[in-house]
Amino acid sequence: MAYPKAVLAKPVSASLDCTSHDALIIISNDFSHLPNTPLRDAILDQAQVDSRIGNQVTLLVIAGKRVVLAPTGPLNRDYDDVRRYFDAAKLAINEAKASGSVNPAIYLPALNTDSRYQHALEVAYLGACQALWQPLEAREFHGHGIEPITQIGLIDANEQTIKAVNALAAGQYAARDLCGTEPERMAPPRFADYCTELFENSAVSVDVIDDLAAIDKHYPMLSTVARASYAVERHHPRVVKLEYVPEGEVTRTLMFVGKGLVYDTGGADLKVGGFMAGMSRDKGGAASVAGFMKAVADYQPKGVKVIAFLAVVRNSIGSDCFVPDEIITSREGVRVRIGNTDAEGRLAMGDLLSEMKDLAKNEINPTLFTVATLTGHAARAMGPYGAYVENGPARSANISRQLADCGDLWADGAEVSRSRREDYDFIKPRTLADDVLSSNNAASAVTARGHQFPMAFLAVVGGLDKHGSESTLPLPYVHMDIAGSGVEGGDWQHGKPTAASVSSLFARYCL
């Protein structure tokens, strides 16, 4: 079926004296030193009678036009970052929308030369898009009028900036759609359909594996997770494969596996006490990977080849669900003892990572990633930031640090975590009947190194433990746990998806 096309608020270049926009949004930490004298004087006059100016988002009417003032607050402290602009833009665009604006422009006075804010205009636009996005089901029910702003002017932005943020925003929009849609509307077959349509006539090719016999044979761990869903045809799993090959020479290959749990009941280790609510967003990793691929498809960077596998499954409860103590032989030939069926994401991704590793051996300068809303521990330990856990070759290449540094400039923060010997000790087999333990049976949030040890498990079942720094073929691998950063405010039931990691990846590898 056809999906409603994105009504993304397209960025366009604008100037301060342009008359085409119907609202001017000014984002600054100081409105008293604007370079435009008439505008500055009018704002200062208003400030004499309105103490809100400079302290909260305020709508003024100056020379017959809406002017929205959005203060960032302080920008000079050690802990301030570009999210000051992102957050101010979210509030400002909602104020402009409420006033009836459909074609606003964003203006950032050139008052701050701190390198932390070198992409503040782009980030402000992305913040506005985050605020304006409405869920796919809402657009289908209410129509596109629910998103009335279809264009946003970016004052003094050049053509390259417009091209970049247009692609990036489109990717984030798709990621939010895929992550934020309820479990029936985005059941595995419909998730695959969305991806097929998203990349139709684009630079990204799509291959969807829907044959259960093939999934059972080639992806036994994914099949195990999906087993209880086989009784319901509309819940049948899908493996979605995406590939972008640039024109000309390839100098780098990015290889992704995304966790796409369209619903996670916990399986036999059922989520109780209200903790199941929001688990339709457990597909946020696959959603972000698809979103990054959409940004790549639109931007078409040179030199970078990108391959992505999405594990799109439902972890259902039922008479045929898998249970703790089962031993599953993975694609890699590793015997996996199930410790907890609610630790299903690493199983769903593991065989795809094994296949990706085999492909990587013949790719140019490959780097492998898993992207997942994997553990409550990542959210507990890192708060609203992603957690990047890397192997030795990735650490030597400084991959996670570079991604996190890009994230700091693009309002997509993350923390870098180490993989250590304790993580491998944690998953070691307890008997000769198995080779690796998938997890313990306590919640990850109360387990020491609860977001680090799953990376060790993925490395083992993906065969990447044989491609460390000491091997003849080192393969850099980063596990990106976005459980803390995937939705606004950590509210998995109601918070808007953030498209976490898409900005960092795009800024690092496409710009």
Side-chain angles (χ1 to χ4, degrees):
M1 66 172 297
Y3 288 81
K5 298 297 183 182
V7 187
L8 178 66
K10 294 286 187 181
V12 296
S13 183
S15 61
L16 193 57
D17 58 0
C18 179
T19 58
S20 62
H21 53 262
D22 60 10
L24 177 64
I25 295 171
I26 306 176
I27 304 176
S28 179
N29 65 324
D30 184 359
F31 299 106
S32 65
H33 290 87
L34 298 182
N36 183 287
T37 302
L39 186 59
R40 180 194 65 206
D41 291 345
I43 291 171
L44 290 176
D45 286 344
Q46 295 267 11
Q48 297 299 314
V49 295
D50 191 343
S51 61
R52 295 174 302 171
I53 292 174
N55 295 306
Q56 67 183 66
V57 172
T58 311
L59 174 66
L60 309 177
V61 177
I62 298 176
K65 177 172 286 189
R66 303 176 184 93
V67 176
V68 179
L69 303 181
T72 61
L75 297 172
N76 60 338
R77 299 168 298 190
D78 289 346
Y79 54 87
D80 293 316
D81 61 53
V82 76
R83 287 174 300 170
R84 299 287 183 198
Y85 287 95
F86 187 90
D87 294 341
K90 287 169 63 178
L91 296 173
I93 201 71
N94 281 333
E95 185 70 21
K97 177 182 172 182
S99 75
S101 171
V102 296
N103 182 21
I106 296 176
Y107 171 47
L108 272 58
L111 299 176
N112 196 302
T113 58
D114 191 316
S115 62
R116 287 177 288 181
Y117 308 112
Q118 60 188 278
H119 298 297
L121 180 60
E122 298 99 303
V123 166
Y125 166 71
L126 297 174
C129 291
Q130 172 76 16
L132 292 173
W133 176 85
Q134 296 296 333
L136 177 63
E137 305 99 309
R139 302 200 305 272
E140 290 175 332
F141 183 81
H142 293 283
H144 287 313
I146 197 173
E147 297 173 313
I149 296 178
T150 59
Q151 181 174 286
I152 297 176
L154 303 183
I155 291 178
D156 296 332
N158 60 38
E159 183 179 340
Q160 190 62 28
T161 294
I162 295 297
K163 178 184 176 183
V165 295
N166 189 39
L168 178 51
Q172 290 182 331
Y173 200 102
R176 294 186 201 106
D177 269 6
L178 289 165
C179 177
T181 304
E182 60 97 6
E184 291 295 341
R185 185 65 186 83
M186 204 57 80
R190 304 183 84 177
F191 188 109
D193 289 345
Y194 185 103
C195 290
T196 298
E197 186 168 322
L198 181 67
F199 296 108
E200 188 176 9
N201 300 320
S202 79
V204 169
S205 62
V206 183
D207 180 30
V208 177
I209 299 174
D210 58 7
D211 180 68
L212 296 185
I215 290 173
D216 291 343
K217 177 180 179 181
H218 299 295
Y219 312 111
M221 290 194 295
L222 186 153
S223 168
T224 297
V225 173
R227 199 166 72 197
S229 73
Y230 283 13
V232 181
E233 185 175 359
R234 70 180 187 277
H235 294 166
H236 283 184
R238 296 290 188 268
V239 174
V240 179
K241 296 186 174 183
L242 309 171
E243 184 174 28
Y244 166 77
V245 181
E247 294 183 359
E249 181 184 8
V250 173
T251 59
R252 180 194 302 275
T253 308
L254 306 177
M255 312 183 79
F256 293 89
V257 176
K259 174 187 172 184
L261 263 292
V262 302
Y263 206 77
D264 179 22
T265 67
D269 285 300
L270 192 67
K271 294 180 185 289
V272 297
F275 288 102
M276 201 184 300
M279 285 301 101
S280 61
R281 272 84 179 286
D282 208 13
K283 55 191 183 301
S288 282
V289 172
F292 174 61
M293 293 297 290
K294 170 60 175 172
V296 167
D298 286 6
Y299 194 70
Q300 298 188 33
K302 303 294 185 184
V304 182
K305 179 179 179 179
V306 190
I307 305 172
F309 293 168
L310 310 180
V312 189
V313 299
R314 179 176 170 122
N315 186 18
S316 296
I317 182 72
S319 58
D320 198 28
C321 65
F322 74 118
V323 296
D325 302 336
E326 284 191 43
I327 298 175
I328 311 298
T329 301
S330 72
R331 179 187 186 277
E332 196 70 20
V334 176
R335 296 169 301 166
V336 178
R337 184 181 292 274
I338 304 302
N340 188 315
T341 66
D342 198 18
E344 81 300 323
R346 65 203 69 175
L347 301 173
M349 293 189 294
D351 292 324
L352 298 182
L353 184 61
S354 166
E355 183 178 11
M356 195 71 86
K357 173 262 303 175
D358 288 343
L359 292 177
K361 296 174 183 178
N362 298 309
E363 296 293 341
I364 297 170
N365 191 19
T367 303
L368 294 93
F369 300 88
T370 44
V371 187
T373 52
L374 205 74
T375 66
H377 188 274
R380 176 64 62 87
M382 304 305 188
Y385 303 97
Y388 299 166
V389 192
E390 55 192 0
N391 70 355
R395 183 165 179 256
S396 296
N398 214 25
I399 290 171
S400 292
R401 181 72 271 153
Q402 291 172 349
L403 275 171
D405 288 346
C406 282
D408 287 342
L409 299 177
W410 287 84
D412 188 24
E415 307 285 1
V416 179
S417 289
R418 289 282 301 276
S419 178
R420 297 185 181 273
R421 64 181 186 179
E422 288 83 359
D423 304 325
Y424 288 85
D425 290 342
F426 194 92
I427 62 168
K428 67 183 180 182
R430 283 23 174 205
T431 76
L432 295 179
D434 51 286
D435 301 312
V436 65
L437 178 67
S438 69
S439 71
N440 59 332
N441 56 13
S444 69
V446 297
T447 299
R449 301 188 63 79
H451 77 266
Q452 290 100 329
F453 85 81
M455 179 272 187
F457 173 82
L458 283 162
V460 170
V461 298
L464 285 163
D465 58 329
K466 302 176 182 64
H467 293 277
S469 301
E470 80 292 347
S471 70
T472 56
L473 183 60
L475 292 174
Y477 165 51
V478 178
H479 170 57
M480 307 174 78
D481 191 334
I482 60 171
S485 57
V487 295
E488 290 183 338
D491 183 350
W492 281 94
Q493 187 172 16
H494 303 295
K496 281 187 179 182
T498 62
S501 78
V502 176
S503 289
S504 298
L505 292 165
F506 186 81
R508 174 67 184 91
Y509 295 113
C510 298
L511 297 182

